[in-house]
Amino acid sequence: MSQNSEPGFARVLSVRDGLAVTVGMVIGAGILRAPGEIAGHLGDPWLILAVWVLGGLVAGLSTLLLAEMSAALPQAGGKYVYAREAWGPVMGFVSGWSELLVGRGFSGAAKAVVIAEYVRILTGGKGSIPVLAGAVVLAFFFIHTQGIKASTVFQNITTVIKIFVVLVIAGAGIWAGDLLSIGEGTSVSLLGEGRVSAFSAAYLAVAFAYYGWEDVAKMAEEIKDPGRALPSILLKGVLAVAVLYLLINLSFLAVLTPSEMSGSELVAQDAISGVFGSAAGTVVVWASLLILISSLNVNFLGLPRVAYGLASHGLAPRAFSKIDDKGTPRNALYFIAAWIGILAISGSFSQIIGLMMMIAIPVDMMVLLGFFRLRLKRPDLHRPFRVFGYPWIPMITILLYLAILVILVTTQTRTAIYGSLVIGGLVVAGLINSRRQKI
């Protein structure tokens, strides 16, 4: 069979499907695990809310730039496509493989492990977490062998459930708690010793919770009318997530103090149990399980398409570019399922969140700088959506990223060193791959 006659992606995804993917990807392990960690770092309700607002602001500004690039370059793969078009194959390699192996690979494994932990809680401690996590990965692998339509129907259903659950938890906390008492009796110095370091550590947790807000762009070749639909999906999606995150954090703070939240692995359970009893807390564990299932589903939707995009441009094995008759990049799915499965059965990943984001933030900054490069390099490119306030809004976005990165590097130095080693290794691998392609 010739290359031209091989199956390709079908444009079957609507704006509704895309929003389900966005909300489904973002709202997951981060919002379940991060509140307790952030409370432990900051200890002040207003600082806690401020760091969540900062995360939403960064995601929102970044979305504007990515919306323009995704509408102009509606190709499978997402951010790596924009890096490749702006900076060439080496930076495309760095962007794609950093997300494939580190950002999305580890986050998918972490979600599988947390799902296994929650299943174990619900079964009274029965079962092995590695075995349960491996079973979770196998189940998702099977779902995604059934094609993109089956995967998105599953995603739409679980996302509706997820939004309902988050709104119920947020509403219950706000209704039963006391919003007006937030911050009373708190006396944490905003400029105390170690405060900047604590805020930067908290920001890494928030950044992890927001990570994935652009994942729908990876499926650009499967979206109907991507030039119009992608900007709408990205902007509405990040706004919805930001509002939900603020509501649920307000509900936590209306019921619990930061010291009560500190160190908790599931603040939602603590908040609801404290108000409605342990039975309600068990319901929250079930709800959290549904949230994680919806979120992990998008890892399996997006990552094979990143691998496909890399392979289509010689940045990954050509086998990853093969699409089966159900519209699934099957070989890429095998690789992703195997990688996530290996990571999931090997243990806990809570300690690697900081490393993930220390790699993701500078790589994302490189991708966003590509916005300016594309404006100069490809002025003829058709842009159905253009960022308003150019060049000031894009410049503010980059400066915000730069300020955050400087603070992170100076306060989380060891993690920054590890992250730079990984990025440096990817650059070297990208250079070797580029040279091999020229031979």
Side-chain angles (χ1 to χ4, degrees):
M1 185 179 289
S2 68
Q3 182 71 22
N4 291 336
S5 62
E6 290 182 357
F9 288 126
R11 294 198 182 277
V12 297
L13 303 183
S14 64
V15 171
R16 182 185 62 188
D17 296 327
L19 286 171
V21 168
T22 300
V23 176
M25 181 71 235
V26 181
I27 298 178
I31 192 58
L32 296 175
R33 288 284 188 95
E37 182 179 344
I38 291 167
H41 287 307
L42 299 179
D44 179 89
W46 301 114
L47 283 178
I48 290 170
L49 292 174
V51 77
W52 282 103
V53 169
L54 176 62
L57 178 63
V58 172
L61 290 173
S62 303
T63 298
L64 290 172
L65 277 63
L66 287 174
E68 177 172 315
M69 291 190 286
S70 66
L73 297 164
Q75 302 171 24
K79 290 185 290 188
Y80 114 85
V81 173
Y82 322 138
R84 187 199 70 228
E85 290 295 321
W87 306 112
V90 173
M91 289 299 102
F93 183 99
V94 171
S95 176
W97 280 100
S98 68
E99 187 166 13
L100 199 66
L101 295 180
V102 181
R104 285 285 158 246
F106 279 112
S107 72
K111 291 169 191 176
V113 169
V114 177
I115 288 172
E117 290 173 349
Y118 289 176
V119 168
R120 202 163 179 267
I121 290 172
L122 293 169
T123 57
K126 296 178 181 178
S128 163
I129 287 178
V131 171
L132 289 171
V136 168
V137 174
L138 280 175
F140 275 97
F141 167 75
F142 175 75
I143 289 171
H144 285 266
T145 60
Q146 304 310 299
I148 183 69
K149 199 61 186 174
S151 304
T152 52
V153 168
F154 178 80
Q155 187 61 44
N156 289 350
I157 293 170
T158 55
T159 297
V160 170
I161 294 171
K162 172 186 290 192
I163 293 173
F164 174 75
V165 166
V166 170
L167 288 174
V168 167
I169 292 173
I174 292 172
W175 173 74
D178 185 1
L179 283 176
L180 297 179
S181 69
I182 291 177
E184 287 184 2
T186 303
S187 58
V188 175
S189 172
L190 301 184
L191 299 175
E193 184 178 353
R195 182 56 51 195
V196 174
S197 178
F199 195 86
S200 67
Y203 179 78
L204 285 175
V206 170
F208 173 75
Y210 270 101
Y211 198 62
W213 42 265
E214 82 302 330
D215 256 39
V216 70
K218 297 180 178 66
M219 294 174 284
E221 293 184 23
E222 296 157 277
I223 294 174
K224 303 171 186 176
D225 190 11
R228 178 195 62 83
L230 274 172
S232 176
I233 293 167
L234 290 167
L235 294 169
K236 290 177 181 176
V238 77
L239 178 61
V241 169
V243 169
L244 288 172
Y245 277 1
L246 283 176
L247 283 176
I248 202 164
N249 276 281
L250 280 169
S251 75
F252 294 159
L253 291 167
V255 175
L256 302 171
T257 65
S259 62
E260 291 171 330
M261 293 169 60
S262 178
S264 173
E265 292 184 351
L266 188 52
V267 172
Q269 183 187 21
D270 299 338
I272 298 301
S273 295
V275 174
F276 299 106
S278 60
T282 301
V283 173
V284 170
V285 178
W286 276 104
S288 301
L289 195 59
L290 288 172
I291 288 173
L292 285 164
I293 288 171
S294 176
S295 183
L296 180 56
N297 186 56
V298 188
N299 286 77
F300 278 85
L301 272 172
L303 278 181
R305 286 149 181 86
V306 174
Y308 166 87
L310 288 166
S312 298
H313 295 91
L315 303 179
R318 291 189 63 183
F320 290 172
S321 65
K322 302 295 183 181
I323 300 174
D324 66 16
D325 57 1
K326 294 181 179 179
T328 300
R330 182 65 65 98
N331 293 326
L333 178 61
Y334 289 149
F335 172 76
I336 293 306
W339 176 242
I340 292 178
I342 290 169
L343 293 172
I345 64 176
S346 65
S348 171
F349 293 94
S350 59
Q351 72 276 15
I352 208 163
I353 290 174
L355 177 60
M356 280 175 51
M357 298 317 303
M358 196 66 80
I359 295 168
I361 289 171
V363 171
D364 283 354
M365 182 176 170
M366 175 269 292
V367 173
L368 294 175
L369 281 168
F371 169 87
F372 294 97
R373 173 80 169 167
L374 286 172
R375 279 283 186 112
L376 295 172
K377 181 182 175 183
R378 300 285 302 277
D380 58 322
L381 197 63
H382 176 56
R383 292 175 168 84
F385 174 85
R386 284 180 174 266
V387 176
F388 64 87
Y390 179 83
W392 303 111
I393 295 296
M395 286 176 62
I396 290 170
T397 305
I398 297 300
L399 289 173
L400 192 55
Y401 262 85
L402 184 61
I404 290 169
L405 191 58
V406 168
I407 292 171
L408 290 174
V409 169
T410 55
T411 58
Q412 311 287 325
T413 306
R414 178 176 294 182
T415 306
I417 291 172
Y418 293 150
S420 64
L421 289 174
V422 173
I423 294 173
L426 289 172
V427 170
V428 171
L431 288 168
I432 293 171
N433 181 78
S434 180
R435 183 169 296 180
R436 180 176 59 82
Q437 293 292 326
K438 294 177 181 178
I439 297 176

